[in-house]
Amino acid sequence: MRWGRRNRGVAVVTGGTAGVGRATVRELARKGWDVAVLARGEAGLRATERDIRDAGRRGIGIATDVADLDAVHAAAEKVEAELGPINLWVNVAFVGALRTFCDTDPETFRRITDVTYFGQVHGTRVALEYMRPRDRGVV
């Protein structure tokens, strides 16, 4: 850890391997958070773990489909076992398609909805299951 940077606790960022999610991970690590990243792509997870370590913090990347509630539960369990109690949960994961609604097939639309909507719901549900008994944490 770098001097002068106090440990803020453990943060989880879903969708933290690209765009706004990755920028959020980098900023949290820079500000003194240990960060767990939940996303699907292994290469992105490994690269984001390096970003966290480069900021002098502990971090883990966990391959997780946030549309799967059981997978989100398992990821949170791993975070708590490896990094400690979750203090902050940031839901950023989403899926999109660069086409009009009429040109989007039902399977693609379903995946967009599952990840973007249920990813938020599952992340919030799991975060609160850990935070409420402790009476602390932020989603």
Side-chain angles (χ1 to χ4, degrees):
M1 179 178 6
R2 295 181 177 156
W3 292 101
R5 196 174 311 179
R6 77 179 184 97
N7 185 343
R8 305 242 180 227
V10 175
V12 174
V13 180
T14 69
T17 59
V20 171
R22 190 149 178 192
T24 301
V25 169
R26 289 174 175 156
E27 185 65 11
L28 288 169
R30 191 181 74 72
K31 296 277 189 176
W33 292 86
D34 294 330
V35 186
V37 180
L38 280 52
R40 290 178 41 135
E42 288 291 337
L45 287 167
R46 300 300 76 85
T48 306
E49 285 176 331
R50 282 191 300 278
D51 292 345
I52 298 164
R53 284 192 307 273
D54 289 348
R57 304 306 310 168
R58 297 180 306 145
I60 57 172
I62 305 169
T64 309
D65 180 353
V66 297
D68 178 346
L69 179 59
D70 291 336
V72 178
H73 271 289
E77 187 174 309
K78 182 173 181 165
V79 171
E80 293 242 333
E82 294 190 24
L83 296 179
I86 299 165
N87 307 102
L88 174 66
W89 191 290
V90 182
N91 292 305
V92 185
F94 78 97
V95 171
L98 298 175
R99 57 185 83 143
T100 66
F101 176 80
C102 292
D103 293 331
T104 304
D105 61 86
E107 295 79 24
T108 301
F109 189 75
R110 178 59 183 226
R111 182 69 185 156
I112 291 168
T113 302
D114 285 351
V115 172
T116 305
Y117 176 72
F118 285 110
Q120 302 282 321
V121 171
H122 297 333
T124 301
R125 178 178 303 282
V126 170
L128 291 175
E129 287 176 15
Y130 281 87
M131 294 173 182
R132 288 186 72 205
R134 296 181 195 128
D135 197 27
R136 70 168 205 246
V138 176
V139 178

